[in-house]
Structures are given as C-alpha cells and as structure tokens.
Amino acid sequence: MAEQADREFLDAARLALRAPAGGGDPLEALGWWDLLPELSDRDARAAAFALFRAQGRELVSSAALGGLLAAPFLAATGLAPGALVATVSRRSPRRGERLVAIGDVTGAALLVDRPGHGAAVLAHDQVSLRPVAVAGRLAVHEVELDPSAWKAAVPESVAAPARVAGRSLGRLALALEILGAAEGALALAVAHAAAREQFGQPIGAFQAVRHLLAWARTDCVALDAVTTVAVRLGEAAPPRHAEVVKALAGRNGRRVCERALQALGAIGFTTEHDHHHFHSRVLALDALLGTSAELTHALGAWFRETGTDPAVPAAVLLSD
C-alpha cells in the first residue's frame, strides 16, 4: 500500500508539472507548500519529496528546493511556507563561494545563511538576481548582495540546528531529483534500443547493449530503494544518513547517464536529443550541497575519527 501511495504522489506531481506554462504555479496546484509544516507525517513527507523526483523526470524547475531548505527556519522568522526561499552556496573554481537561487523565486524573501553568524532574511529589492546559463533546463539565478545589507534575523544558536535539518532535507530532495533525471535518461536509451535496428534486429537484442541497460537499471533501483527508506525514516534516520544518500545519488546518477549514452550511440551526443538535458541536470544537482566525491571523502574521514556507522540498522528496516 505504501508503494502504491508513493507512486500516486509521483504521478500526480508529474501531471501537475506538465501543465501549460499559463496554467499557474504547479506547487500551488498540488498544495505542496501546505505539506512543509507536516513533514513529520510519513505520507506528507512522501508526497513532498515525490515532487523532486518528478522534477528530474520532467526536467522542470521550481522554488521547491529553496522552500524546503528554508522550512526549518520558518518558525524563527515568522514567515509562512512559500514566503521564504533559501539560497544555496556553491563553489566556483574561478570565483570561489557563490550564492544561487534555484527556480522562480519571485515574490519570496531570500534566506541567506552564514554558518557561524546566523541567517538573514532579505527582500528582493536588497539583492540582485543574475540568470545563469545551466544546461539541463535548470533555472538558476546567482544572488548578489551588498554585504552591508546582511543582518542576522536568526541568531546562530537557532540557525545551527535549523541549518543541519535543512541541509538533510535538501540533500534528500536533490538525491530524488537526480534519480528522476537518471530514470529519464534510461527511458530514452531503452526506447532507442527497441527502435534502432542493426543486422536486421533491434540493438536491444544484443547482449552488450542489454548489459549496459541492466547495469543502469540496477543503479536506478538501488537509488530508489535507498531514497525510499530515507523518506520513510525522516528524523529517525542515522546521523549524516542524508549525506550517504546524496553521495550515492551523484555516483549512480552519473553512471546511469553514461551507460545510457553508450546505448544511444552517436544520436545521444547531438543537441537535438534530450539525453544531454538529463545528464546535465544530474551533474548540476550533484554540485549542490556537496558533490558525491566531497561527501564520500568527508564521510570517510568522519567514520575514521568517530567509528560511527551511518547505515540504517536492519531492525529498523524490518520493522517498517
């Protein structure tokens, strides 16, 4: 029953995201913002996170990631869900740390969090939003602000636990969106393998192609299982479990897209084909809130120092 409900949430989200551009905000149509105060409820949590998998599958952007990251700060700011969207810090190889906002953040205040100093809430007239060209149909704006405009609205003592909670939620959301994009790339490869013929038969009949698609499907299924458990566990997840999930998503997502490209052959390299959008979406999402490589390194160092195992105990999985 739980799997059926999860599938229904995902299907509803995909349908809403496919609505015409003039059809209004799909998040409002889904009642998505109303789910944020109810994330302690398993069904509400599953419905909220289903949106991200749908976004990856449909190559759609929204302000949902920023809204989710900001959710733990809402009580401290007195703002309602949807009225506050968190910015995301990412490292540019050429320009260092930069702040970005994902999706259409028009009408919402921006949360600018500075670890060790608290978090500020800035109106749109206090910042400048510069569109960034990112492949994968991902809407990204770089946020520029006058340093003098930053004043902590949330003290560090309150922001610190909210930051940990927000990043855990954000990493799980990104893992699910990576899964959706990887599934989209794999679906293209499977359809191509069934339609493209060589030597009088579909290339999907050849063992080499079958193996590529089977490996890619295995990576998707593994990530599906891990994210499903993480969503169901919620706050009961082991320490740093969201980092494990995000690291796995970045690795598996890239592998799926690379194997799908091998099955597609030359057509997959063309700009007319949608594969590069799914692949680029995976790479762009992997770069947010810690890449797979960065998280894996940090988790390894943490495990060596503490001996803490971030794996989910078997007893917890069996009791679900």
Side-chain angles (χ1 to χ4, degrees):
M1 291 297 292
E3 289 184 5
Q4 181 179 351
D6 292 349
R7 178 57 59 180
E8 289 175 356
F9 294 148
L10 177 61
D11 291 343
R14 291 185 65 183
L15 285 173
L17 293 173
R18 291 176 194 164
D25 182 3
L27 300 188
E28 294 287 352
L30 286 166
W32 190 84
W33 296 112
D34 297 331
L35 296 171
L36 293 189
E38 309 295 331
L39 290 178
S40 59
D41 177 79
R42 177 179 292 186
D43 288 341
R45 196 163 59 245
F49 281 103
L51 173 77
F52 294 97
R53 187 171 180 177
Q55 284 188 162
R57 190 68 178 81
E58 300 295 327
L59 293 175
V60 173
S61 291
S62 77
L65 177 63
L68 187 67
L69 288 167
F73 292 85
L74 293 176
T77 61
L79 294 173
L84 182 66
V85 174
T87 57
V88 181
S89 177
R90 66 173 300 273
R91 176 168 291 278
S92 167
R94 291 183 293 109
R95 296 186 295 157
E97 291 291 331
R98 310 298 298 178
L99 291 176
V100 297
I102 308 299
D104 183 3
V105 297
T106 305
L110 294 180
L111 181 81
V112 180
D113 181 28
R114 287 183 174 172
H117 302 280
V121 176
L122 301 176
H124 266 269
D125 59 3
Q126 295 177 287
V127 301
S128 175
L129 297 178
R130 183 176 64 83
V132 180
V134 177
R137 297 175 184 160
L138 187 66
V140 178
H141 288 81
E142 195 166 278
V143 181
E144 298 177 350
L145 67 151
D146 184 343
S148 63
W150 192 95
K151 295 180 181 179
V154 182
E156 178 62 15
S157 59
V158 177
R163 181 181 306 122
V164 172
R167 287 182 177 179
S168 292
L169 293 170
R171 284 172 173 141
L172 179 52
L174 288 168
L176 279 157
E177 190 161 337
I178 287 172
L179 171 59
E183 289 175 326
L186 178 56
L188 292 175
V190 170
H192 177 78
R196 178 78 167 91
E197 291 190 359
Q198 285 186 353
F199 307 109
Q201 58 182 322
I203 62 172
F206 302 136
Q207 188 179 59
V209 176
R210 285 185 174 185
H211 283 178
L212 283 172
L213 298 179
W215 288 331
R217 179 60 181 159
T218 299
D219 279 335
C220 283
V221 171
L223 184 54
D224 181 18
V226 169
T227 53
T228 297
V229 169
V231 169
R232 291 178 182 174
L233 286 176
E235 295 181 359
R240 304 186 72 166
H241 186 63
E243 294 176 55
V244 176
V245 176
K246 173 66 163 51
L248 180 70
R251 186 199 70 177
N252 283 22
R254 289 196 310 274
R255 292 199 314 202
V256 170
C257 291
E258 289 163 2
R259 286 165 175 164
L261 182 58
Q262 285 182 276
L264 286 164
I267 188 65
F269 286 94
T270 64
T271 56
E272 292 82 2
H273 200 276
D274 277 343
H275 176 273
H276 73 283
H277 289 299
F278 288 113
H279 198 170
S280 296
R281 173 72 69 112
V282 167
L283 296 176
L285 296 175
D286 182 46
L288 299 177
L289 299 181
T291 66
S292 177
E294 291 168 347
L295 292 174
T296 300
H297 178 80
L299 285 164
W302 173 69
F303 178 74
R304 286 195 304 271
E305 292 172 4
T306 66
T308 304
D309 189 351
V312 179
V316 174
L317 296 175
L318 294 174
S319 65
D320 182 36

